[in-house]
Amino acid sequence: MSEPDPDWQLMARLAKEDDRALNALMDRWQERLFHFLCRVTGDQASAADLAQETFVRVYEARHKVRQEGRFSAWLFTIAANLSRNLARWRRRHPTVSLTETAEQDGSPTLEDRLGEQRSPGARLETEELCTQVRSAILSLPSPLKETLILFEYEELSYEEIAQALGCSRKIVEMRLYRARKRLRRALAREHLL
């Protein structure tokens, strides 16, 4: 017999009007959710807003949610749907940025991991590579981008991704294959591979 999911236990407490349970859920998931949304949207401000909205939805669903599967899959489903809604809204309401900033999502960059012993020129090349990889990921169609981010960055299993995105395991495998293939092509065009 498997142990009860502590996150679903917190949801049960939340359904009984224990609002401290929401704080506990936010403490457990806010950072991962924010990083996921940063990677999907490419924008820290939007990611922060969507993370907050995700927890609003969790709170609103406290009485009606069915505790099936993993909590993380349910949570990332809400976040992915909100990010798709934002992407649709942005397509219908395009804007032009007057200042272009490269916001970081707070996660360690490749250059951080490589250390400071590299020359300034090498660090600049690595930083440019990271920027181009992020850009290539952001340019993927939403289903491919979400699947890739959930697998590579959030480390969800195929089953959890399938549950979060409302598709089968085979679709997840196919999307990962297609996302990686598109990334390889995009990076090869830029002569990065």
Side-chain angles (χ1 to χ4, degrees):
M1 183 174 194
S2 66
E3 297 205 15
D5 185 333
D7 297 312
W8 285 127
Q9 290 176 339
L10 288 169
M11 280 301 292
R13 284 181 36 207
L14 187 59
K16 293 177 182 173
E17 306 302 325
D18 181 357
D19 290 344
R20 291 174 299 170
L22 181 62
N23 292 338
L25 284 170
M26 290 176 73
D27 288 343
R28 287 173 56 90
W29 288 101
Q30 191 159 22
E31 189 173 337
R32 276 186 69 188
L33 193 62
F34 174 73
H35 289 298
F36 165 72
L37 290 165
C38 278
R39 290 179 180 107
V40 170
T41 64
D43 172 19
Q44 280 189 344
S46 296
D49 290 344
L50 291 176
Q52 285 297 98
E53 181 62 25
T54 300
F55 286 112
V56 167
R57 301 286 173 96
V58 166
Y59 184 78
E60 290 171 345
R62 69 191 182 282
H63 295 297
K64 56 188 172 201
V65 67
R66 290 188 321 242
Q67 299 180 7
E68 297 174 356
R70 299 214 25 183
F71 177 83
S72 59
W74 178 68
L75 184 69
F76 283 108
T77 299
I78 295 169
N81 287 337
L82 289 171
S83 69
R84 283 186 213 119
N85 292 344
L86 176 64
R88 278 192 295 276
W89 186 88
R90 284 181 174 168
R91 280 192 301 274
R92 289 190 311 265
H93 304 89
T95 60
V96 177
S97 175
L98 297 177
T99 61
E100 190 172 317
T101 60
E103 294 183 341
Q104 301 298 320
D105 65 5
S107 63
T109 62
L110 179 59
E111 56 271 17
D112 291 338
R113 290 186 212 139
L114 293 175
E116 294 298 321
Q117 70 273 14
R118 303 193 58 193
S119 70
R123 282 197 307 265
L124 184 60
E125 284 179 24
T126 303
E127 193 174 301
E128 186 175 320
L129 173 63
C130 290
T131 300
Q132 290 173 331
V133 169
R134 283 187 196 107
S135 177
I137 290 171
L138 286 172
S139 71
L140 291 171
S142 287
L144 301 182
K145 175 173 53 177
E146 292 165 358
T147 303
L148 182 72
I149 290 170
L150 287 171
F151 184 76
E152 294 293 340
Y153 293 99
E154 300 307 324
E155 300 175 352
L156 295 184
S157 69
Y158 287 173
E159 289 77 17
E160 291 170 321
I161 297 169
Q163 183 182 354
L165 300 179
C167 61
S168 70
R169 178 190 166 100
K170 286 292 181 195
I171 296 291
V172 169
E173 291 172 9
M174 186 244 347
R175 285 179 180 172
L176 280 173
Y177 171 79
R178 288 179 52 209
R180 289 174 177 147
K181 188 175 178 180
R182 283 187 181 207
L183 283 177
R184 275 193 295 275
R185 260 188 304 198
L187 296 175
R189 273 196 305 271
E190 299 292 327
H191 305 291
L192 299 172
L193 286 181

